Amino acid sequence: MSKAGRRTARGIVAVVALGALIEILALAAGVYGYAGGWAVWWLPPWWVLSFWGLLGAGIGLPPAALRPRPWRSAACGALLGPLVFAALVRLGLARFLAAPEAGLALVGVLW
């Protein structure tokens, strides 16, 4: 594997590890939960961790419109993160255990 490939792989692993920690803390705090009878309630499902891996893979490749202005990237995450999570709730893949507004606000801050 090339040097750039190793660096990318390390970045993906680091983002997945950070994402797992964030998810574990949010699940343990009772902000939200995932459906499907997951065997260990405080661990996020594999598909959630795969989203974190996709984020890690693309972290160095922001679209050209976002690259020169990091605040735009942060604003997109703060807006789109809650929208995606709200879609997961509507699909029945996730549920809010606390007030939905608080859960969406937390997701916006995290993303």
Side-chain angles (χ1 to χ4, degrees):
M1 184 182 298
S2 70
K3 194 174 198 177
R6 285 192 298 274
R7 186 176 52 231
T8 300
R10 281 193 307 269
I12 292 170
V13 170
V15 170
V16 170
L18 176 66
L21 177 63
I22 289 170
E23 294 291 333
I24 288 168
L25 292 174
L27 291 169
V31 177
Y32 54 78
Y34 294 105
W38 195 242
V40 184
W41 67 269
W42 53 269
L43 284 178
W46 65 268
W47 56 269
V48 172
L49 295 178
S50 70
F51 283 134
W52 284 98
L54 288 171
L55 176 67
I59 212 160
L61 307 170
L66 300 178
R67 189 172 293 126
R69 296 176 181 86
W71 62 270
R72 282 187 185 175
S73 188
C76 285
L79 179 67
L80 297 175
L83 287 175
V84 169
F85 201 86
L88 292 173
V89 170
R90 289 184 60 84
L91 289 170
L93 297 172
R95 65 190 180 290
F96 289 109
L97 303 176
E101 297 82 12
L104 287 174
L106 179 65
V107 170
V109 168
L110 294 175
W111 278 94

